[in-house]
Amino acid sequence: MDKRLKRYLLIVFAYGYVSVTTADQCQAKIQLTHYEPGICYHNFDHGECTDQCRTAMPAANPACFTDLSLPCDIRNDLFASAPGLQQQGNHTWVHISDLLNFPPLHSDLHIVRQDLYQSLYRDYISPPSLRGFSAASQQVKKENFRLLLISEVKALTAPLKEAAVFKRLSLGLALEPGVQDEFADIVSRTNDYPLFSAAEKSALIAELEQIRQSELMLWQFIRQSDTVLIGQSRVDYLNSQLEQLALNIDNLNGEKRAHTLAKIAATGTPLALNFRDCPAGICFDPIAAGGGDFYRGMDQILTHFESLLNPSLEESLLLANTVGDGAPPGPEPHPDFSGLMNSHIDAYRADPSRDNLRRLELAINVAFLQQDIDGLSLYSELKDSAVAEISGQVFYTPYEDHRVLLCQELSNIDKRLEEIQQEVFTVSAAAQDIIRLMIEQGHSEELLAQLQQLIARLQALSTESRQLSQVDRFSPDRHTTVLWNLDTQQQQLDPTSRDIRIEFIAIDGTYWIPAVSMPLQRLIPSIADIATIKGTLLPTGNGRMAALNTLSLALRQSPYNSCSAANQQIRIIVSVTDSSGAAKRYSLEAGLNQL
């Protein structure tokens, strides 16, 4: 490994990330990829996947860039040789492909880890390539900038548009000032875009304003409507959703039914819904509008409750459509865990260096989803300075059209395989005893009939064992959604817009921090999204939050990921900074294997 890089990695992996630039460290601005839709990091399709950051520039599209601290000589060598080097005004940057293909960084343990992951799961995952990058033409940059801003305006107005659709008046009023401020920022960036003429800027701003008004047309109608009627309509809709949830629960068997009822009771909502078994099925106490006091806390409480109601509905549908005993076979071959282990053991025996030992440790972590000591130590260190430790609420929702293989069902399959193994041993021994008797006593139709029965049983057990051992454990079959509420005040919504930044996240046998060279979604491709009501924090791990102080994480999981004993805890550290610059750190955790 390059000695300059060793010094850098020692700092990064021992202490998390470099928060200041020292005399030996220089800032490197890196252009990231951000493929849409999110499935592209798991199953890339050239015809369907688009890199939203393909033609980005730092001033115009800051969400597409990150700054890394690198040893100055490493940084200078990288920028001197990078094919994707670009410059605009005071900004000079390289593309993420330049960084990940830079030879001195090939020993970066996060890059090694991702190579191991892709090698092991090559039959289950197909990420986008990072073979190289070339700058686009000026015309393409201009058109992509326009398309990006249109997407930004639609994403900016989406929460307010949704608030109008579902009559969330209090939420909309809390979000509205931030939408106006952020739209002004989009206009400012348009005016500053260096490739546009004055006429092009004016035309684009007019187009964006027209889109904004169109997207918010329903909201303008809702905010001017009779608030009593809006409130009653909102309550009626939510009660209809609760009725659907009750019907879904009523279709579940005893264990799944009890699990769902207990989960609803533990949501922490102040609403007295009292879901319970009644003679005619599941019943509950409907929500009451509450008259003139509806917008003095009740509407706000309902907004918090809705964030839990929607995934509860989806989870109840998932539980009614599980695999059970009809688990489908997975693709062949299965991941070669033993081959991965043996190759790295052999490499260490041939050269018992520290680097090869770390690679062996990484191989174990990747294969068996173990968190390494460095990651856990860093998490503990960051957690010590958190103002609050918050447990998330976990929900499971369907993944495409897959039937989910629950952890209990997978456990039953494994137990049955053990039973088959034991029965095969017993039946084989009995068959051998009969054969010995036939050798000693000569031919016997009675003994032959017994032997044929035992052989038939062995054949049946072999068929059952083969079917069960081929169960698909590694293809995604569920979305795991985790919700954290950073504010326990459910009767009010904070309109203040704040910055939120992921400082640490650990899942699937690895961890990510802002200083590592590998982008978050590429390092942990099971992450489908991580977002606040204001929008996604991808690709950089930075975003905004307002009104609802909630963070949601969506994971794309297989039975192996979801049910592995080593992968039962997700750990996240976030930092939230208000307009005055005051920052608070939160420790977020959640237990994942709940089904």
Side-chain angles (χ1 to χ4, degrees):
M1 183 188 296
D2 191 300
K3 290 182 179 180
R4 301 167 298 172
L5 189 62
K6 275 189 176 180
R7 297 197 306 271
Y8 166 61
L9 294 179
L10 179 63
I11 295 171
V12 168
F13 291 108
Y15 300 106
Y17 55 87
V18 182
S19 58
V20 296
T21 301
T22 67
D24 296 324
Q25 300 287 318
C26 290
Q27 291 291 315
K29 187 171 291 295
I30 310 296
Q31 179 182 349
L32 302 176
T33 58
H34 185 209
Y35 284 98
E36 291 287 352
I39 187 65
C40 294
Y41 286 94
H42 194 273
N43 186 17
F44 186 76
D45 183 330
H46 284 281
E48 299 292 334
C49 297
T50 303
D51 180 8
Q52 301 295 305
C53 294
R54 174 74 176 81
T55 59
M57 291 192 290
N61 312 104
C64 290
F65 292 84
T66 190
D67 290 313
L68 291 180
S69 290
L70 294 172
C72 290
D73 45 2
I74 287 277
R75 186 265 184 204
N76 294 338
D77 289 349
L78 169 64
F79 275 58
S81 61
L85 178 71
Q86 295 187 74
Q87 186 171 5
Q88 180 66 52
N90 296 326
H91 297 285
T92 303
W93 69 94
V94 296
H95 192 257
I96 184 64
S97 60
D98 299 318
L99 181 72
L100 298 186
N101 290 320
F102 189 49
L105 282 175
H106 287 176
S107 299
D108 181 325
L109 296 183
H110 285 80
I111 296 177
V112 173
R113 187 263 178 203
Q114 183 59 15
D115 289 342
L116 291 172
Y117 184 89
Q118 291 183 19
S119 174
L120 187 62
Y121 293 103
R122 60 183 177 272
D123 295 307
Y124 298 84
I125 183 172
S126 177
S129 171
L130 280 176
R131 292 176 182 171
F133 172 83
S134 58
S137 68
Q138 181 166 302
Q139 186 57 40
V140 171
K141 286 183 178 180
K142 290 166 65 174
E143 179 58 19
N144 279 11
F145 177 70
R146 171 183 166 273
L147 294 176
L148 279 174
L149 289 192
I150 289 174
S151 297
E152 278 192 49
V153 171
K154 290 183 176 180
L156 173 64
T157 56
L160 204 51
K161 183 178 180 180
E162 185 177 288
V165 170
F166 295 101
K167 314 295 193 301
R168 300 166 188 158
L169 184 58
S170 298
L171 176 62
L173 292 172
L175 289 171
E176 193 172 34
V179 171
Q180 294 171 350
D181 291 343
E182 290 178 48
F183 183 76
D185 177 68
I186 291 174
V187 171
S188 175
R189 283 189 281 129
T190 305
N191 280 319
D192 293 338
Y193 191 64
L195 303 184
F196 276 158
S197 66
E200 288 172 320
K201 293 176 183 179
S202 297
L204 179 54
I205 290 171
E207 182 182 11
L208 296 176
E209 175 60 29
Q210 184 178 19
I211 293 170
R212 185 184 74 89
Q213 291 181 10
S214 174
E215 293 293 299
L216 296 182
M217 187 178 298
L218 179 59
W219 165 247
Q220 295 299 333
F221 172 78
I222 291 296
R223 74 190 309 274
Q224 295 170 19
S225 300
D226 186 305
T227 56
V228 175
L229 293 178
I230 292 295
Q232 187 60 58
S233 175
R234 175 158 160 70
V235 168
D236 290 344
Y237 169 75
L238 289 177
N239 280 329
S240 71
Q241 293 292 92
L242 291 172
E243 289 173 4
Q244 184 60 57
L245 179 59
L247 288 173
N248 292 351
I249 297 172
D250 206 34
N251 290 328
L252 300 178
N253 63 25
E255 185 177 344
K256 295 175 182 176
R257 185 189 189 106
H259 166 86
T260 306
L261 287 174
K263 196 166 187 176
I264 292 172
T267 57
T269 177
L271 299 173
L273 300 174
N274 192 22
F275 270 81
R276 60 198 182 276
D277 273 301
C278 293
I282 297 295
C283 57
F284 65 95
D285 297 332
I287 301 168
D293 294 331
F294 183 74
Y295 293 101
R296 298 176 184 172
M298 175 57 75
D299 189 36
Q300 293 85 339
I301 289 172
L302 293 180
T303 298
H304 282 278
F305 174 66
E306 271 186 286
S307 65
L308 305 175
L309 174 59
N310 295 332
S312 295
L313 274 164
E314 291 196 67
E315 182 172 291
S316 65
L317 290 173
L318 174 144
L319 290 174
N321 189 35
T322 63
V323 166
D325 296 328
E332 293 288 351
H334 293 332
D336 185 9
F337 294 116
S338 61
L340 182 71
M341 297 297 102
N342 290 335
S343 66
H344 283 81
I345 290 172
D346 292 343
Y348 179 70
R349 283 175 174 162
D351 177 16
S353 64
R354 178 180 175 84
D355 285 348
N356 280 340
L357 186 60
R358 290 301 302 270
R359 287 171 183 263
L360 175 59
E361 179 191 21
L362 277 180
I364 294 171
N365 294 342
V366 168
F368 303 111
L369 306 176
Q370 299 274 8
Q371 283 297 328
D372 63 36
I373 295 175
D374 288 344
L376 294 176
S377 297
L378 174 57
Y379 175 72
S380 296
E381 182 180 336
L382 293 171
K383 184 178 178 180
D384 287 342
S385 60
V387 298
E389 299 175 17
I390 302 170
S391 295
Q393 293 179 291
V394 181
F395 299 90
Y396 298 87
T397 58
Y399 175 74
E400 296 179 348
D401 58 351
H402 294 269
R403 295 171 64 200
V404 67
L405 177 61
L406 297 180
C407 295
Q408 184 58 53
E409 294 167 346
L410 184 60
S411 177
N412 292 340
I413 289 172
D414 289 338
K415 289 177 183 177
R416 179 57 186 152
L417 285 170
E418 292 178 6
E419 293 170 357
I420 289 173
Q421 185 178 18
Q422 184 59 45
E423 187 177 354
V424 166
F425 175 79
T426 302
V427 174
S428 298
Q432 290 172 352
D433 290 342
I434 290 177
I435 291 172
R436 280 194 291 269
L437 280 175
M438 293 175 71
I439 292 172
E440 294 171 0
Q441 300 176 9
H443 175 73
S444 165
E445 288 294 334
E446 180 182 353
L447 289 176
L448 179 58
Q450 293 179 30
L451 181 60
Q452 288 176 324
Q453 288 179 345
L454 292 173
I455 291 174
R457 181 57 181 161
L458 285 173
Q459 290 173 333
L461 289 171
S462 176
T463 299
E464 184 182 1
S465 175
R466 185 170 59 254
Q467 291 173 341
L468 292 177
S469 64
Q470 291 177 346
V471 163
D472 190 352
R473 300 165 182 256
F474 300 100
S475 296
D477 68 350
R478 74 203 74 190
H479 273 128
T480 301
T481 301
V482 190
L483 299 173
W484 289 276
N485 189 354
L486 277 58
D487 186 353
T488 58
Q489 298 297 320
Q490 296 191 26
Q491 292 184 318
Q492 56 187 340
L493 301 171
D494 186 353
T496 307
S497 186
R498 295 168 300 285
D499 293 323
I500 181 169
R501 179 176 190 254
I502 300 172
E503 294 187 334
F504 178 97
I505 181 169
I507 187 67
D508 290 350
T510 191
Y511 69 93
W512 181 90
I513 54 178
V516 305
S517 55
M518 184 70 70
L520 173 56
Q521 218 172 358
R522 182 173 285 273
L523 181 64
I524 312 177
S526 63
I527 294 178
D529 198 11
I530 182 164
T532 69
I533 194 172
K534 296 285 288 181
T536 185
L537 275 63
L538 298 173
T540 60
N542 297 312
R544 305 279 285 172
M545 70 187 325
L548 281 175
N549 293 328
T550 56
L551 182 70
S552 66
L553 170 70
L555 296 170
R556 190 183 301 107
Q557 289 197 301
S558 67
Y560 182 72
N561 289 106
S562 184
C563 305
S564 172
N567 204 34
Q568 295 311 291
Q569 194 80 2
I570 186 163
R571 303 172 178 88
I572 300 179
I573 300 290
V574 297
S575 177
V576 179
T577 305
D578 63 22
S579 57
S580 69
K584 293 182 179 179
R585 179 174 283 163
Y586 296 86
S587 167
L588 312 178
E589 296 186 355
L592 296 182
N593 181 7
Q594 299 185 7
L595 285 177

